[in-house]
Each structure stands twice: as C-alpha cells, then as structure tokens.
Amino acid sequence: MKVNKKDYSTIWVEKNKVKIIDQTKLPFKFVIKELSSLKSFFNAIKKMEVRGAPLIGVTAAFGLALEVYRNPNKSNILKSYRTLCNSRPTAINLKWALDEIIKVILKMPPEQRGLESMKIANKIRNDDINSCKQIGKYGLEVIKKIYKKKKKCVNILTHCNAGWLATVDWGTALAPIFYAKKKKIPIHIWVDETRPRNQGALLTSWELKNENISHTVIVDNAGGHLMQNKQIDMCLVGSDRTTISGNVCNKIGTYLKAVVAYENKIPFFVALPTSTIDKKIKKISDIPIELRDGDELSKVNLKIKNKFISMNVYAKDTPTLNPAFDVTPKKFITKLITEKGICDPKQELIKKLLGN
Ligand code: MRU
C-alpha cells in the first residue's frame, strides 16, 4: 500500500538485508529498520515492532532463514525454532511458518539448508500477499451485497488492526474495505481504539487515512451503543488462530463485539488466511492466550514536542491483568472469509475449504 505516494510492504528483502517498518513508532514517525540477528527478529516480534498474525509468521520465517544461513546445524536450527516460537504464543501463523521451513530443510544436507530456508520464507511472504488480495475480493462481494440492499453508505465496525500492517500487504479485514473503496462503494469505518495498545486508533486509522477512507475512532465500549442504534451494518475483524471447528481467537474485546452483534442481528465476519487455522487444537481453552505486561494498562505514551514520554495514568501499584486475546465461539460468527472462499464456521465446511 502507499505511504507518501510510495509503495511499501511491511517486510522485504533489499540487497540481502531484511527490512521492516517499525510499527511502535506509527503514526508519528515512519521508521524503517533492518533485522540481522536472531535476537533482533525475536525482539521485533516480542516488542511488537512487527505485529499481526500473518506478519509475525513471515518475520519469524525470515529470522529462522537468516540463522540457518549462519549456522545450518540441526541443534542450532531447533534451538532457534524454539526461541522464535516463544516470542509470541497466540497467533498460530508463527509456528505454522516455522514448521513450513523445518519440515523441508531437516531432510536436506546442511550446506543446502540456508538457501532453501530463504526460498521458503520468500514464498510464505508472497503467498501472504496473494491470500490477502483474494480475501479482499471475496470480502468485497459481502460489502457489495449489503450495499445493494441498503443503497446507502455501508457502516463497518473493525477491531484492532487487521490491515496491511498486520500482514505483508493488503491486510485481512481491511482488504475488502480497500477493494470497496477502489470500486467506489460508499463505506464508513468505525474503528475500535483497541486498548491497551491502541492498534485501532494508531494503525488502522493511519491506514484508512492514507487511502482516503471515511472513518471514525471510537472507544472500545462504544460499539454496543452504535449497534443498538443501527449505526453499524456489519462487523469485520481478523483472526490470530481459528479452530478447525470455526471458533476465532482474536484481539481482546472481539468476543464482546461479536456477542453484541449477535444480540442486534448484525452480521459478524472474520477475515483470515487459512494459515491461521489450527487443525490440531481440540478445545478453545487450549489456545494459549498471551498475557502482557500490566504497564500497558497503567502507562500511556505521550508525544510532547517531538519527544515520547511514558506516564502513569493510575497508581503504580494497582493490580492489573492484561490478556491480549479472547476467543469468539462460532455461534456468534456469521461467515469466515478466506483466500479459498467464504464459509460458515462449521468443521465440515472448513475442512472442505481446506481440501481435506
Ligand atoms: O497484538 P497484535 O497487534 O499482534 O494483534 C493483532 C490482531 O489481533 C489482529 O486482529 C490479528 O492478528 C489478525 S491480523 C490480520
């Protein structure tokens, strides 16, 4: 997507160097950073310089590939695999991407492993772009259908950031929105602020502004009121892990929105690449929910005269709990929008979509 009229993706290779956009600085500063060691990849994921399920998968893949280049011994590969896997626990794409590399290279002689890992990492990157474009095209049909019936601006609520910054390019939940804009369908996006890290207010609104898409940031608790007052036609969110039976783990607060949408008969759509589907997990309670530092709740980062400062918004010793994700049971989900097509959140249909 474009930033200051120039095309960017979130991660790319330039003269054998892996480059990312440091998302902790957005929207105030546009900073490009090079990642060159396993530690720098681990930190970029952990500190959320890169974030969003598909993007952390691609980043981990490049991190492992560079490390395999440096030292292709099996013990180093497995150690690096475990390090990267532990950077963030909830999004399954991270482990999925690393597994895509491991399952191929461990069968190869060490001297071939580096090049092959890089090839796979590049393929994962390119496939992610294509998947997101497809999600965009399928999701566009959903928006078109609502517009045809309503014949007026389609109001869409989104949570967190599932735009191009969460993927390599285009995004998942925002891809249909970018396509709708290109097709001149009148849309307005209600952007959940998404406490505590404010990915909606900081990142989604930045993406929408850059594409000239009408939008309004709201506090997380406002969505129910808007739905009750018929100001929202559909909800559209991303996913960090989708169970094979159709339950969706996504940014904390997604569940609350889905329940209110259900109560108000507002369709609730989840856009995801199939790399987000966890075929193994049986119970939703088995999904590891990332618990983040309580400082994310009690401190705010302020930009004052070009300087960033962190300030306490309530007493330092206040006990806090900061789960980063929750699970929305399939009952509350209208449809899943994937690169392979749209389906109900039902095990047999998801399996059919995956071709098994
Ligand atoms: O904690 P984050 O910012 O990595 O969380 C991101 C989300 O919850 C997104 O909605 C999800 O990864 C889907 S993005 C395509």
Side-chain angles (χ1 to χ4, degrees):
M1 304 298 282
K2 292 222 180 327
V3 181
N4 297 330
K5 298 189 181 144
K6 200 176 157 206
D7 270 320
Y8 280 96
S9 62
T10 53
I11 186 164
W12 66 98
V13 182
E14 196 180 303
K15 296 183 187 149
N16 289 329
K17 309 249 188 268
V18 178
K19 303 273 178 86
I20 60 158
I21 298 168
D22 179 354
Q23 299 189 23
T24 59
K25 305 282 189 304
L26 288 173
F28 305 108
K29 272 186 181 171
F30 186 75
V31 177
I32 293 171
K33 202 170 164 177
E34 184 190 322
L35 303 180
S36 53
S37 62
L38 188 73
K39 201 169 168 212
S40 68
F41 280 88
F42 174 86
N43 283 337
I45 298 171
K46 181 110 193 141
K47 293 182 180 165
M48 295 175 66
E49 289 166 359
V50 288
R51 24 84 34 217
L55 179 58
I56 61 178
V58 176
T59 308
F62 278 115
L64 183 63
L66 281 193
E67 182 59 23
V68 175
Y69 241 104
R70 198 186 64 76
N71 176 354
N73 288 341
K74 187 174 173 186
S75 60
N76 183 50
I77 294 176
L78 293 179
K79 197 170 138 233
S80 311
Y81 169 88
R82 281 192 295 272
T83 302
L84 289 164
C85 265
N86 287 333
S87 55
R88 290 194 77 190
T90 301
I92 191 69
N93 308 57
L94 197 150
K95 184 176 178 304
W96 169 83
L98 295 172
D99 284 339
E100 287 292 292
I101 296 181
I102 292 275
K103 72 182 182 201
V104 175
I105 62 165
L106 288 182
K107 292 182 199 144
M108 297 181 132
E111 63 280 7
Q112 291 176 16
R113 289 175 181 165
L115 199 62
E116 187 61 27
S117 302
M118 208 43 155
K119 262 194 209 158
I120 300 171
N122 270 310
K123 180 175 182 322
I124 293 172
R125 178 185 180 276
N126 295 337
D127 287 352
D128 187 66
I129 300 174
N130 292 330
S131 292
C132 288
K133 280 189 191 166
Q134 276 309 115
I135 290 170
K137 287 177 192 167
Y138 283 120
L140 170 66
E141 296 310 310
V142 172
I143 299 175
K144 264 187 187 166
K145 216 167 158 184
I146 294 177
Y147 177 58
K148 256 190 181 167
K149 207 167 154 199
K150 193 182 172 196
K151 295 187 180 71
K152 273 199 261 172
C153 176
V154 180
N155 285 289
I156 304 171
L157 177 97
T158 192
H159 191 66
C160 195
N161 172 262
W164 70 275
L165 291 169
T167 63
V168 177
D169 207 353
W170 287 93
T172 56
L174 291 199
I177 289 169
F178 294 136
Y179 272 95
K181 171 74 183 178
K182 285 186 199 310
K183 295 284 172 199
K184 298 195 168 40
I185 297 173
I187 46 173
H188 180 79
I189 316 304
W190 294 100
V191 180
D192 280 349
E193 197 175 33
T194 319
R195 281 278 291 151
R197 292 187 64 100
N198 295 322
Q199 291 96 324
L202 296 170
L203 305 177
T204 302
S205 65
W206 182 74
E207 288 192 25
L208 295 171
K209 186 175 151 218
N210 287 345
E211 293 298 317
N212 214 5
I213 296 174
S214 159
H215 63 282
T216 309
V217 173
I218 51 173
V219 295
D220 295 327
N221 288 335
H225 169 72
L226 294 184
M227 289 195 229
Q228 202 174 41
N229 286 287
K230 313 225 171 316
Q231 284 168 276
I232 292 170
D233 300 303
M234 66 183 277
C235 300
L236 183 51
V237 301
S239 170
D240 284 80
R241 195 186 287 232
T242 308
T243 68
I244 192 77
S245 52
N247 306 297
V248 167
C249 180
N250 191 49
K251 180 54 57 194
I252 193 82
T254 303
Y255 172 40
L256 277 175
K257 294 299 140 65
V259 174
V260 182
Y262 186 80
E263 159 77 11
N264 287 280
K265 299 188 175 48
I266 291 164
F268 192 93
F269 295 93
V270 182
L272 59 128
T274 50
S275 55
T276 301
I277 298 174
D278 185 338
K279 295 176 197 141
K280 289 198 186 127
I281 218 140
K282 294 274 180 297
K283 295 191 279 103
I284 56 178
S285 55
D286 289 340
I287 299 176
I289 301 293
E290 179 178 15
L291 274 182
R292 295 189 64 87
D293 202 320
D295 274 5
E296 288 184 353
L297 308 191
S298 59
K299 285 185 170 166
V300 287
N301 294 321
L302 300 174
K303 188 183 174 229
I304 300 175
K305 288 189 184 158
N306 276 334
K307 270 200 172 155
F308 289 91
I309 56 163
S310 176
M311 280 183 74
N312 273 86
V313 277
Y314 45 84
K316 254 185 185 170
D317 52 0
T318 308
T320 53
L321 180 72
N322 186 13
F325 299 93
D326 61 25
V327 183
T328 301
K330 60 182 165 187
K331 163 183 173 187
F332 300 111
I333 298 166
T334 310
K335 298 268 182 200
L336 302 176
I337 304 170
T338 79
E339 80 279 14
K340 293 180 194 279
I342 299 182
C343 79
D344 289 343
K346 289 192 180 140
Q347 181 149 329
E348 63 279 14
L349 298 177
I350 297 173
K351 279 191 170 170
K352 209 170 148 195
L353 202 76
L354 293 175
N356 38 60

